[in-house]
Amino acid sequence: MTIRSGGRPRDSRNAPQAHPAQAHPATDNSHVAPWEPAYDKPRGSGKGGNGGGNGYGRRRGGGFGGVLRFLVFALILAAIVLTVLLTALRPMVRDAVLGWAADNPAALDMPFVADLVREDLGAKLTTAASTDTAQVPFTVTDGETASTIAARLQDQGFLTDRRAFVFIAMEKKLTSDLRTGDFILRKSMTPDQLVSALLDPHTIQHIDIALRTGLRLEQITAKLETIDGLTMNPEDFYNLAKHPSAALLKDYDWLDLPKGASLEGYLWPATYQVLPDTTPEELIRLMLDGFHTAIEGRMDVPAARGLSFYKVLALASMVDHEVILDEEKPLIAGVFQNRLNPKLFGNGHLGSDVTVFYVNDTLQLAKMPVAQWKSYVFWAKPKSPLPADLPADLVGYNTYTHAGLIPGPICTPTLTSIDAALNPNVKDKFLYFLAKRDGSNETAFAKTKAQHDANIARYGSGQ
């Protein structure tokens, strides 16, 4: 107890408790515990190293799990949203990619772009634009690209979608070194076949079938046997030209053919650029088209001429093989025409050597397989006289024993020979002619047998 000046001792029972920092020991020397702030006891389970403390450790574990659950939820939600967006926006994205690929073919190198374009093209990648098998010339010039070629192919009816050509060309890596030149195509070709025909350097572009003037049907057939790369059977060509089908004749109603006649005389000579798999009918049609184009209005024979065009063609085929110089052809035709005039030449025998050669060749070729015709020498003088009994279809071609014009053409004559047959020069009434053997290629003409014999003595027999 402390005595203050002038005061009474303080009653410790009623006095308020002092701050611990100011506490003093009791007079009886007893121990008083220091003051501590009061806390509630922890409500943890008592497990763990620090007895639960204030509980912060448990709240940290629950926070990490919540974040993880949130991230998983967010990812799932994002996937759902992305799927919905892709489904809803796919047409727009698809159209944008297709448009981009159409303007930029290089984009086809990206797989997902190529897949979209392939899906969009569908059957257009493998389907031909037409069933038309006609062969059509097509030219690729310097500076063109696969895209410009494709555009022209579509414009001309070879493609239904130009992208198919570009797509296949890119897929085959054939766009870097384009070939230029002339090609032969069909509208019935698939896009893949068009790409191969125009861009693939290992593909045969076309085959040239060069047919000179004055060939008979069998010579044309023999020529076909010699052409490498041509897949057609020449014998099939020969049979169709020898016996044209009703369907073929129907398409060429301008043909002036007797019943059962072949196409001899109408197979126009030219250099035909054709595909390797050209069929006999395709080639024959090309030749008939060539004839009709070249002949123009000559088939309208004036009534005053007294001959059908078929007979004009027969006479022209004789002229074609009897003379070399074009300017002499009207005179040669005039000799034959004069011999058909009973007032000038009694027996009506035309006496043409080339018709005898034709008969002899026909007899010899009949003994040979078609494949061997390419080794045969045509239009040569027979080693022996013609047999007396000729097959019925050849009798009329022996102009030394048969009167009148031959039954039909013995070759396809040139235009100059046809013109000569249409307008023979009969003014001088020549009845004989003889090829001079002096290197001039000229012909000696005569009105009488005596003059002709004199020419023989001077120039030789010509054989």
Side-chain angles (χ1 to χ4, degrees):
M1 176 173 65
T2 303
I3 303 297
R4 295 184 181 181
S5 176
R8 297 178 298 174
R10 183 175 299 176
D11 188 349
S12 60
R13 293 173 298 178
N14 297 323
Q17 187 175 0
H19 192 279
Q22 299 173 345
H24 296 275
T27 57
D28 58 3
N29 296 323
S30 61
H31 182 269
V32 180
W35 177 87
E36 293 181 2
Y39 292 98
D40 290 337
K41 291 184 178 181
R43 291 173 292 179
S45 63
K47 299 177 181 178
N50 60 7
N54 59 8
Y56 287 168
R58 181 169 180 171
R59 283 196 294 272
R60 282 197 299 270
F64 177 75
V67 172
L68 182 61
R69 286 192 295 272
F70 174 77
L71 289 177
V72 172
F73 171 76
L75 288 174
I76 293 174
L77 181 61
I80 293 173
V81 172
L82 182 60
T83 301
V84 172
L85 286 176
L86 287 177
T87 301
L89 298 178
R90 178 178 171 82
M92 296 176 59
V93 174
R94 176 177 172 274
D95 291 345
V97 171
L98 292 176
W100 176 50
D103 296 332
N104 302 275
L108 294 170
D109 287 333
M110 290 184 278
F112 84 94
V113 176
D115 289 343
L116 281 177
V117 174
R118 183 185 291 105
E119 177 187 340
D120 186 64
L121 286 171
K124 294 177 182 178
L125 273 174
T126 57
T127 305
S130 171
T131 58
D132 186 1
T133 60
Q135 300 189 31
V136 183
F138 188 87
T139 301
V140 177
T141 58
D142 288 335
E144 289 206 80
T145 65
S147 295
T148 61
I149 294 172
R152 289 202 294 121
L153 287 171
Q154 182 172 332
D155 291 342
Q156 296 180 31
F158 291 96
L159 291 169
T160 55
D161 193 321
R162 63 185 179 87
R163 296 178 302 157
F165 182 90
V166 177
F167 182 90
I168 296 173
M170 290 290 293
E171 191 173 53
K172 290 188 172 184
K173 302 186 184 306
L174 294 175
T175 60
S176 60
D177 189 18
L178 302 183
R179 297 186 297 172
T180 60
D182 297 324
F183 300 84
I184 304 297
L185 305 176
R186 293 189 181 99
K187 293 182 179 179
S188 60
M189 284 180 164
T190 64
D192 185 74
Q193 290 172 327
L194 290 169
V195 169
S196 295
L198 293 174
L199 306 183
D200 191 344
H202 302 295
T203 300
I204 299 176
Q205 299 179 28
H206 55 73
I207 291 175
D208 289 340
I209 300 178
L211 303 173
R212 61 178 176 82
T213 61
L215 298 180
R216 59 179 289 176
L217 172 57
E218 289 79 2
Q219 283 180 286
I220 297 172
T221 304
K223 175 66 176 180
L224 296 179
E225 287 280 359
T226 68
I227 299 177
D228 293 333
L230 191 63
T231 62
M232 80 162 67
N233 184 349
E235 188 168 357
D236 292 340
F237 170 88
Y238 173 76
N239 289 333
L240 183 58
K242 191 72 173 177
H243 308 286
S245 65
L248 182 63
L249 294 176
K250 183 179 179 181
D251 289 342
Y252 294 90
D253 55 2
W254 51 264
L255 283 170
D256 181 23
L257 292 178
K259 185 177 180 179
S262 73
L263 296 176
E264 186 75 89
Y266 292 91
L267 302 175
W268 192 249
T271 296
Y272 294 97
Q273 292 184 336
V274 299
L275 295 172
D277 62 347
T278 295
T279 66
E281 183 169 339
E282 284 180 316
L283 180 56
I284 286 174
R285 287 179 179 272
L286 287 173
M287 299 174 82
L288 291 176
D289 291 340
F291 180 92
H292 192 254
T293 300
I295 208 70
E296 295 180 331
R298 292 176 175 84
M299 294 186 72
D300 298 324
V301 182
R305 182 65 185 89
L307 297 175
S308 68
F309 179 75
Y310 188 71
K311 286 295 185 178
V312 168
L313 205 60
L315 175 57
S317 69
M318 294 171 58
V319 172
D320 212 64
H321 274 276
E322 287 284 11
V323 68
I324 295 176
L325 302 179
D326 286 344
E327 58 267 27
E328 292 184 341
K329 288 181 176 180
L331 288 172
I332 297 292
V335 170
F336 291 136
Q337 188 64 46
N338 287 332
R339 286 195 168 206
L340 292 173
N341 185 346
K343 295 181 179 179
L344 296 177
F345 202 77
N347 62 17
H349 292 171
L350 299 184
S352 171
D353 288 343
V354 297
T355 64
V356 174
F357 302 164
Y358 176 84
V359 172
N360 179 67
D361 288 346
T362 304
L363 293 174
Q364 301 307 316
L365 292 169
K367 303 173 185 178
M368 303 169 59
V370 174
Q372 294 181 10
W373 288 359
K374 61 185 177 182
S375 62
Y376 184 79
V377 179
F378 290 83
W379 305 106
K381 180 180 179 180
K383 296 179 180 179
S384 59
L386 295 177
D389 297 326
L390 290 173
D393 60 339
L394 291 179
V395 170
Y397 289 95
N398 186 351
T399 56
Y400 282 92
T401 60
H402 188 273
L405 273 174
I406 55 178
I410 58 176
C411 71
T412 300
T414 60
L415 291 178
T416 53
S417 295
I418 294 173
D419 289 340
L422 285 169
N423 298 283
N425 185 345
V426 296
K427 180 179 179 181
D428 294 323
K429 296 183 173 56
F430 291 131
L431 296 173
Y432 303 89
F433 62 85
L434 176 71
K436 297 179 180 180
R437 304 183 67 180
D438 57 2
S440 66
N441 293 326
E442 294 179 350
T443 304
F445 294 89
K447 298 179 181 179
T448 65
K449 182 65 165 59
Q451 292 175 346
H452 181 57
D453 290 340
N455 286 333
I456 292 176
R458 181 177 180 180
Y459 299 110
S461 64
Q463 299 298 325

PDB file of all heavy atoms in Angstrom, residues 16-25 32-37:
ATOM      1  N   PRO A  16      -9.710   0.709 -10.040  1.00  0.00           N
ATOM      2  CA  PRO A  16      -9.600   0.116 -11.382  1.00  0.00           C
ATOM      3  C   PRO A  16      -8.202  -0.436 -11.616  1.00  0.00           C
ATOM      4  O   PRO A  16      -7.246   0.064 -11.072  1.00  0.00           O
ATOM      5  CB  PRO A  16      -9.868   1.294 -12.321  1.00  0.00           C
ATOM      6  CG  PRO A  16      -9.600   2.526 -11.512  1.00  0.00           C
ATOM      7  CD  PRO A  16      -9.883   2.219 -10.076  1.00  0.00           C
ATOM      8  N   GLN A  17      -8.166  -1.502 -12.473  1.00  0.00           N
ATOM      9  CA  GLN A  17      -6.887  -2.188 -12.751  1.00  0.00           C
ATOM     10  C   GLN A  17      -6.014  -1.315 -13.608  1.00  0.00           C
ATOM     11  O   GLN A  17      -6.452  -0.723 -14.594  1.00  0.00           O
ATOM     12  CB  GLN A  17      -7.152  -3.534 -13.452  1.00  0.00           C
ATOM     13  CG  GLN A  17      -5.912  -4.356 -13.605  1.00  0.00           C
ATOM     14  CD  GLN A  17      -6.249  -5.718 -14.188  1.00  0.00           C
ATOM     15  OE1 GLN A  17      -7.407  -5.975 -14.454  1.00  0.00           O
ATOM     16  NE2 GLN A  17      -5.239  -6.548 -14.317  1.00  0.00           N
ATOM     17  N   ALA A  18      -4.762  -1.249 -13.207  1.00  0.00           N
ATOM     18  CA  ALA A  18      -3.831  -0.406 -13.953  1.00  0.00           C
ATOM     19  C   ALA A  18      -3.289  -1.138 -15.168  1.00  0.00           C
ATOM     20  O   ALA A  18      -3.398  -2.351 -15.286  1.00  0.00           O
ATOM     21  CB  ALA A  18      -2.678   0.005 -13.014  1.00  0.00           C
ATOM     22  N   HIS A  19      -2.707  -0.417 -16.102  1.00  0.00           N
ATOM     23  CA  HIS A  19      -2.066  -1.009 -17.297  1.00  0.00           C
ATOM     24  C   HIS A  19      -0.929  -1.866 -16.851  1.00  0.00           C
ATOM     25  O   HIS A  19      -0.191  -1.497 -15.927  1.00  0.00           O
ATOM     26  CB  HIS A  19      -1.561   0.128 -18.200  1.00  0.00           C
ATOM     27  CG  HIS A  19      -1.162  -0.375 -19.553  1.00  0.00           C
ATOM     28  ND1 HIS A  19       0.042  -0.948 -19.785  1.00  0.00           N
ATOM     29  CD2 HIS A  19      -1.847  -0.383 -20.699  1.00  0.00           C
ATOM     30  CE1 HIS A  19       0.126  -1.294 -21.013  1.00  0.00           C
ATOM     31  NE2 HIS A  19      -1.033  -0.946 -21.621  1.00  0.00           N
ATOM     32  N   PRO A  20      -0.720  -2.974 -17.406  1.00  0.00           N
ATOM     33  CA  PRO A  20       0.309  -3.892 -16.973  1.00  0.00           C
ATOM     34  C   PRO A  20       1.682  -3.286 -16.924  1.00  0.00           C
ATOM     35  O   PRO A  20       2.515  -3.663 -16.122  1.00  0.00           O
ATOM     36  CB  PRO A  20       0.267  -5.021 -18.013  1.00  0.00           C
ATOM     37  CG  PRO A  20      -1.095  -4.958 -18.610  1.00  0.00           C
ATOM     38  CD  PRO A  20      -1.533  -3.536 -18.504  1.00  0.00           C
ATOM     39  N   ALA A  21       1.913  -2.367 -17.792  1.00  0.00           N
ATOM     40  CA  ALA A  21       3.244  -1.765 -17.798  1.00  0.00           C
ATOM     41  C   ALA A  21       3.518  -0.983 -16.513  1.00  0.00           C
ATOM     42  O   ALA A  21       4.655  -0.731 -16.163  1.00  0.00           O
ATOM     43  CB  ALA A  21       3.401  -0.851 -19.008  1.00  0.00           C
ATOM     44  N   GLN A  22       2.404  -0.553 -15.781  1.00  0.00           N
ATOM     45  CA  GLN A  22       2.569   0.224 -14.566  1.00  0.00           C
ATOM     46  C   GLN A  22       2.329  -0.609 -13.307  1.00  0.00           C
ATOM     47  O   GLN A  22       2.249  -0.109 -12.197  1.00  0.00           O
ATOM     48  CB  GLN A  22       1.594   1.410 -14.587  1.00  0.00           C
ATOM     49  CG  GLN A  22       1.860   2.339 -15.763  1.00  0.00           C
ATOM     50  CD  GLN A  22       0.774   3.401 -15.862  1.00  0.00           C
ATOM     51  OE1 GLN A  22      -0.308   3.263 -15.238  1.00  0.00           O
ATOM     52  NE2 GLN A  22       1.084   4.478 -16.576  1.00  0.00           N
ATOM     53  N   ALA A  23       2.144  -1.945 -13.495  1.00  0.00           N
ATOM     54  CA  ALA A  23       1.831  -2.780 -12.324  1.00  0.00           C
ATOM     55  C   ALA A  23       3.068  -2.935 -11.436  1.00  0.00           C
ATOM     56  O   ALA A  23       4.196  -2.946 -11.927  1.00  0.00           O
ATOM     57  CB  ALA A  23       1.346  -4.147 -12.809  1.00  0.00           C
ATOM     58  N   HIS A  24       2.818  -3.081 -10.149  1.00  0.00           N
ATOM     59  CA  HIS A  24       3.879  -3.254  -9.165  1.00  0.00           C
ATOM     60  C   HIS A  24       3.651  -4.537  -8.416  1.00  0.00           C
ATOM     61  O   HIS A  24       2.510  -4.961  -8.264  1.00  0.00           O
ATOM     62  CB  HIS A  24       3.906  -2.086  -8.160  1.00  0.00           C
ATOM     63  CG  HIS A  24       4.227  -0.765  -8.828  1.00  0.00           C
ATOM     64  ND1 HIS A  24       5.513  -0.324  -9.077  1.00  0.00           N
ATOM     65  CD2 HIS A  24       3.406   0.239  -9.263  1.00  0.00           C
ATOM     66  CE1 HIS A  24       5.482   0.867  -9.623  1.00  0.00           C
ATOM     67  NE2 HIS A  24       4.191   1.238  -9.749  1.00  0.00           N
ATOM     68  N   PRO A  25       4.671  -5.158  -7.933  1.00  0.00           N
ATOM     69  CA  PRO A  25       4.473  -6.401  -7.186  1.00  0.00           C
ATOM     70  C   PRO A  25       3.733  -6.155  -5.871  1.00  0.00           C
ATOM     71  O   PRO A  25       3.833  -5.080  -5.286  1.00  0.00           O
ATOM     72  CB  PRO A  25       5.917  -6.892  -6.942  1.00  0.00           C
ATOM     73  CG  PRO A  25       6.786  -5.682  -7.080  1.00  0.00           C
ATOM     74  CD  PRO A  25       6.123  -4.752  -8.005  1.00  0.00           C
ATOM     75  N   VAL A  32       2.123 -12.270  -9.985  1.00  0.00           N
ATOM     76  CA  VAL A  32       0.941 -11.880 -10.790  1.00  0.00           C
ATOM     77  C   VAL A  32       1.269 -12.061 -12.270  1.00  0.00           C
ATOM     78  O   VAL A  32       2.257 -11.531 -12.762  1.00  0.00           O
ATOM     79  CB  VAL A  32       0.555 -10.416 -10.510  1.00  0.00           C
ATOM     80  CG1 VAL A  32      -0.657 -10.039 -11.341  1.00  0.00           C
ATOM     81  CG2 VAL A  32       0.269 -10.228  -9.042  1.00  0.00           C
ATOM     82  N   ALA A  33       0.442 -12.836 -13.015  1.00  0.00           N
ATOM     83  CA  ALA A  33       0.695 -13.112 -14.472  1.00  0.00           C
ATOM     84  C   ALA A  33       0.586 -11.858 -15.298  1.00  0.00           C
ATOM     85  O   ALA A  33      -0.297 -11.030 -15.060  1.00  0.00           O
ATOM     86  CB  ALA A  33      -0.273 -14.140 -14.996  1.00  0.00           C
ATOM     87  N   PRO A  34       1.498 -11.698 -16.281  1.00  0.00           N
ATOM     88  CA  PRO A  34       1.423 -10.484 -17.133  1.00  0.00           C
ATOM     89  C   PRO A  34       0.156 -10.484 -17.994  1.00  0.00           C
ATOM     90  O   PRO A  34      -0.380 -11.511 -18.335  1.00  0.00           O
ATOM     91  CB  PRO A  34       2.684 -10.598 -18.011  1.00  0.00           C
ATOM     92  CG  PRO A  34       3.020 -12.035 -18.045  1.00  0.00           C
ATOM     93  CD  PRO A  34       2.578 -12.605 -16.707  1.00  0.00           C
ATOM     94  N   TRP A  35      -0.251  -9.356 -18.420  1.00  0.00           N
ATOM     95  CA  TRP A  35      -1.485  -9.192 -19.224  1.00  0.00           C
ATOM     96  C   TRP A  35      -1.250  -9.617 -20.665  1.00  0.00           C
ATOM     97  O   TRP A  35      -0.236  -9.346 -21.264  1.00  0.00           O
ATOM     98  CB  TRP A  35      -1.885  -7.722 -19.175  1.00  0.00           C
ATOM     99  CG  TRP A  35      -3.086  -7.447 -20.030  1.00  0.00           C
ATOM    100  CD1 TRP A  35      -4.375  -7.548 -19.674  1.00  0.00           C
ATOM    101  CD2 TRP A  35      -3.039  -6.981 -21.365  1.00  0.00           C
ATOM    102  NE1 TRP A  35      -5.192  -7.210 -20.673  1.00  0.00           N
ATOM    103  CE2 TRP A  35      -4.385  -6.842 -21.770  1.00  0.00           C
ATOM    104  CE3 TRP A  35      -2.022  -6.680 -22.257  1.00  0.00           C
ATOM    105  CZ2 TRP A  35      -4.743  -6.413 -23.022  1.00  0.00           C
ATOM    106  CZ3 TRP A  35      -2.388  -6.243 -23.503  1.00  0.00           C
ATOM    107  CH2 TRP A  35      -3.727  -6.108 -23.895  1.00  0.00           C
ATOM    108  N   GLU A  36      -2.215 -10.315 -21.216  1.00  0.00           N
ATOM    109  CA  GLU A  36      -2.200 -10.722 -22.643  1.00  0.00           C
ATOM    110  C   GLU A  36      -3.551 -10.424 -23.248  1.00  0.00           C
ATOM    111  O   GLU A  36      -4.581 -10.555 -22.570  1.00  0.00           O
ATOM    112  CB  GLU A  36      -1.921 -12.216 -22.777  1.00  0.00           C
ATOM    113  CG  GLU A  36      -0.516 -12.613 -22.352  1.00  0.00           C
ATOM    114  CD  GLU A  36      -0.298 -14.088 -22.532  1.00  0.00           C
ATOM    115  OE1 GLU A  36      -1.233 -14.775 -23.022  1.00  0.00           O
ATOM    116  OE2 GLU A  36       0.813 -14.568 -22.243  1.00  0.00           O
ATOM    117  N   PRO A  37      -3.564 -10.109 -24.515  1.00  0.00           N
ATOM    118  CA  PRO A  37      -4.874  -9.871 -25.164  1.00  0.00           C
ATOM    119  C   PRO A  37      -5.656 -11.169 -25.262  1.00  0.00           C
ATOM    120  O   PRO A  37      -5.090 -12.229 -25.421  1.00  0.00           O
ATOM    121  CB  PRO A  37      -4.520  -9.339 -26.570  1.00  0.00           C
ATOM    122  CG  PRO A  37      -3.142  -9.822 -26.818  1.00  0.00           C
ATOM    123  CD  PRO A  37      -2.450  -9.858 -25.461  1.00  0.00           C
TER     124      PRO A  37
END
